[in-house]
Amino acid sequence: GNAEATKTRILAAAFAEFAAHGVAGARVDRIAAQAGCNKNLIYVYFSDKEQLFTTVLYAQLEHVHRTLPFAPDDVPGYATRIFEYATANPDVMRLLAWAGLERKTEGVVRRRPRFDEKVVAMRKLQADGSLGDLIPPQPLLTMATAIATAWSAANPFGSLLDPITAKNPSRLRSLVHAVVELLATANASDGDRASKAPKRRRAPQGAQ
């Protein structure tokens, strides 16, 4: 009904406001003006600005989860989907960046179980020998995700990177190559590591 339509408008306006300004910088009166409703109505529906932010954040995290299916045996494919999503949805990445900067634990609480599910799935692959164990699943997945979001607002250096260049197909190829190499490192055997290890340089005379 009318109430649901109003809530939908408020959430859309709040998403844009929080993505642009974070929680501290967001203004409820601007959200109300954009949503075309009375400011007091926002407090009736969402109690306060923090609760409104949490509602917006949870909705976006659910959208991310639904849009980015994870297959533990195809981490490069998962990284590719993250890259494409981050490039297509800069405001979502800004919202996540603000949540991290402003230490909003709600996002961590909601994201942690999903992340842990992925880690468990990767541990199973390691247990049956399908994935090497040189790099544990948690940092492996974290690094793959970090590479995939390198050209987004979620990265502290994202604002320094050219967004047009990020959409170049060569950037995606570079990303996939980097994640494949990361997995190759995780899968490297002891023999491989020994053969690829840099040779020790002899210490100069008198440095011993």
Side-chain angles (χ1 to χ4, degrees):
N2 252 357
E4 287 306 312
T6 303
K7 282 183 184 179
T8 298
R9 291 199 310 274
I10 290 170
L11 289 173
F15 170 52
E17 179 76 8
F18 287 132
H21 303 288
V23 181
R27 296 278 301 275
V28 174
D29 54 350
R30 281 198 299 250
I31 295 171
Q34 188 65 33
C37 72
N38 187 294
K39 183 166 83 169
N40 290 334
L41 201 55
I42 294 177
Y43 294 113
V44 169
Y45 289 145
F46 300 101
S47 300
D48 55 29
K49 187 166 69 168
E50 294 279 341
Q51 182 58 44
L52 178 58
F53 177 81
T54 299
T55 305
V56 169
L57 180 63
Y58 280 4
Q60 294 305 321
L61 288 173
E62 285 301 316
H63 183 257
V64 170
H65 179 68
R66 288 194 308 271
T67 308
L68 301 176
F70 175 72
D73 57 350
D74 184 20
V75 176
Y78 180 60
T80 298
R81 289 189 289 277
I82 292 175
F83 173 86
E84 290 173 339
Y85 184 90
T87 303
N89 297 275
D91 281 352
V92 175
M93 305 314 291
R94 289 189 189 96
L95 186 77
L96 296 178
W98 279 116
L101 286 170
E102 298 185 305
R103 298 172 184 250
K104 299 301 171 191
T105 57
E106 300 92 343
V108 176
V109 169
R110 180 57 66 98
R111 293 157 82 183
R112 186 68 201 222
R114 301 271 168 79
F115 182 79
D116 288 345
E117 287 171 10
K118 297 178 178 67
V119 169
V120 168
M122 292 179 73
R123 281 202 185 111
K124 289 178 182 174
L125 286 186
Q126 286 186 329
D128 67 20
S130 302
L131 177 67
D133 60 359
L134 179 61
I135 304 175
Q138 190 175 36
L140 182 61
L141 189 57
T142 300
M143 286 186 281
T145 304
I147 293 169
T149 56
W151 287 272
S152 79
N155 184 317
F157 297 100
S159 60
L160 303 177
L161 301 167
D162 179 5
I164 295 174
T165 304
K167 295 178 182 179
N168 189 303
S170 67
R171 192 65 67 232
L172 180 56
R173 287 195 297 272
S174 298
L175 153 72
V176 172
H177 179 73
V179 175
V180 167
E181 287 296 312
L182 189 62
L183 290 166
T185 300
N187 286 323
S189 66
D190 289 334
D192 291 334
R193 295 200 294 273
S195 66
K196 292 177 183 175
K199 293 186 177 172
R200 274 183 141 178
R201 300 170 72 183
R202 183 176 294 176
Q205 292 284 335
Q208 316 243 337

